[in-house]
Amino acid sequence: MMPNSAVIRISGLHYHYSREENILSDINLQVEQGNLYGFLGPNGSGKTTTLSLLLGLLKKQKGSIEIFGQEFQANRLNILKRTGSLIESPSLYRQLTARENLEVYRSVYGAKKERVGEVLKLVGLEDTGTKKAGNFSLGMKQRLAIALALLHRPELLILDEPTNGLDPGGIVELRELIKRLNKDEGITMLISSHLLSEVERMVSHLGIIFKGRMLFQGSLEELRLFQQKQSRLKIHSSDNEAAMDILKDYHPEKTMEGLLIPFRDYQEVALINSLLTKNRLGVYLLQPQERSLEQLFMDLTSTHS
Amino acid sequence: MNMLTSFRSELLKSKRTASLYVCLFAAAIIPLLLVFDTATPQAIEALSADPWNLHFKAGIEFMGTLILPMFIILICTLLPQIEYRNNTWKQLMSSPQPFAHIFFSKFLTVHLLVLLFFTAYNLLMLLSALVVNYRITAIEFFDHSIDWHQLIVANFRTYSACLAIISIQFWAGMRFKNAVTPIAIGFGLWILAAVLVIEVKWEHVDKFPFAYPILMIYSKYSAVISLILWKSIAYAVFFSGLAYLDFRLRKVKAA
């Protein structure tokens, strides 16, 4: 496969369950080879619907879905042979052991018998013996579900809310496993979550969906740049009207307490301070208001609600 | 990807489920009851004339009209419930298998369990005859022979008469997440069939698939048994096709 080729390309995707309710509107999403892509959005924003369409669990109504450069509907089996997935909660047969659960799908995926032991070792479940999956902890179930998704050495892994319900230890463990699989095995990953803090520590690229629309798509760096652009400096001086005039090139915004100015970095804050003092204004308050990625996510999703 | 791979996967996942136990338990009911049914002098006298064939005839009449329909209703519900209870439908549907393979491998598993039921039932009937022979010396089973042809035909007819019920119940089992619904539908239609045949004596009862196993034992219908069996097969093909279409067109619910 060519480097930097799009593994997933969704264009103009729309979906509705009923005519009155649009679940997805004009979704455009692209995941490049080797990306660890975080698909972020609050609950009910359309993440699972998008992933279900990607895996053919729902039939596409409008738009196009290409995976590995192939149209999905026409190449469903070829695409699924190269894709591993975990949709919502772990899908396991409770009455079967870890090994038996993998055996159910081994032939379906055309994997060799020894691969079962390999993936169990990879997720740290090689010693579960005759213990039934129904008696596993949620973390173990999640890891077994990932082992199942890895059985056929997929090139693409789609994980829907993989850390849901896990304790902090389980989350860290799973995060490390995901990073390792992406780095060591070169698997392209699409991971959905409703928590930015959870995915920002592992993903390289992000897509933010809200109420069925994509609000942002790009690298984590681009999101940080976007975050900087959203930072404001709160100013209160001895003459706010005069300060507005002096700082007019910064496009200030008048508020009840003074003014708000977008800023890039602390050098710019120092420059603004010196401009005000040079013009003999008393600076009472100079407060940078930086937005964390989490706040930015909240802002992005709340301003569109 | 061949159908056999999907079928093997289906068999593996039914390991340690109630299906196999239900199959063996259901197959054992009539043979067990017939061991104790030979307690009266009248029963002994009646059976003495042709013990093997009368023993099998009595068994298949009870089995075909009472036990087999109940077993089918249960098994057609239990098998799809493996996916519903474990929340595995999405995983299954996103695996690289043609949808037809997924559907028909489950359908084949139901038929395999029904055939397993028939095998277990017949073996247990043999065993129950041996027990009767040992318990009641007046009945000399070994002085008589088994009419194998008659036995095979009776089994084949009973199985064929239930084909339509299997297809209808399999559709209901695949369609409803709640296990109570397909069981209620099945038992409702089965009771309705009994009422239509025994109480109402409805003239068009030969058009009602759930009545077919009961009609097999009515001498009134002995002349048209072949026609009824063909109807059962036709209904089975029709409802299997309908069930597959429904399966293909249904949306897998996504939050």
Side-chain angles (χ1 to χ4, degrees), chain A residues 82-215:
Chain A
R82 298 163 68 185
T83 308
S85 62
L86 192 174
I87 296 289
E88 293 176 308
S89 52
S91 298
L92 303 167
Y93 300 101
R94 284 179 290 183
Q95 81 280 9
L96 301 180
T97 64
R99 197 168 277 278
E100 286 167 343
N101 262 288
L102 298 179
E103 221 21 79
V104 166
Y105 282 101
R106 187 181 63 76
S107 308
V108 170
Y109 282 112
K112 287 188 176 160
K113 214 167 177 65
E114 49 274 23
R115 181 67 182 155
V116 170
E118 280 172 28
V119 288
L120 282 176
K121 199 173 173 192
L122 194 69
V123 298
L125 290 176
E126 69 272 35
D127 297 324
T128 49
T130 55
K131 190 173 180 179
K132 310 287 177 294
N135 298 327
F136 283 10
S137 68
L138 188 58
M140 288 167 82
K141 282 179 186 168
Q142 208 74 312
R143 281 186 283 147
L144 181 56
I146 291 179
L148 180 62
L150 291 172
L151 202 55
H152 54 304
R153 299 182 193 279
E155 295 162 51
L156 169 67
L157 202 55
I158 296 173
L159 307 176
D160 186 19
E161 308 258 7
T163 54
N164 247 5
L166 293 185
D167 58 27
I171 292 174
V172 173
E173 222 172 76
L174 193 69
R175 192 187 296 146
E176 290 312 309
L177 175 67
I178 288 170
K179 277 156 79 173
R180 203 169 71 229
L181 288 170
N182 174 250
K183 202 177 159 202
D184 300 347
E185 311 259 326
I187 302 172
T188 305
M189 294 205 184
L190 173 61
I191 298 165
S192 81
S193 177
H194 60 276
L195 297 170
L196 177 64
S197 56
E198 204 176 272
V199 291
E200 69 170 315
R201 293 183 200 176
M202 55 177 164
V203 302
S204 56
H205 291 74
L206 262 178
I208 299 176
I209 187 173
F210 183 66
K211 289 194 171 175
R213 289 180 186 277
M214 289 298 283
L215 298 185

Side-chain angles (χ1 to χ4, degrees), chain A residues 233 265-277 286:
Chain A
L233 182 66
D265 47 38
Y266 290 123
Q267 278 84 4
E268 202 167 24
V269 175
L271 191 72
I272 289 166
N273 184 42
S274 71
L275 259 173
L276 293 172
T277 49
L286 202 64

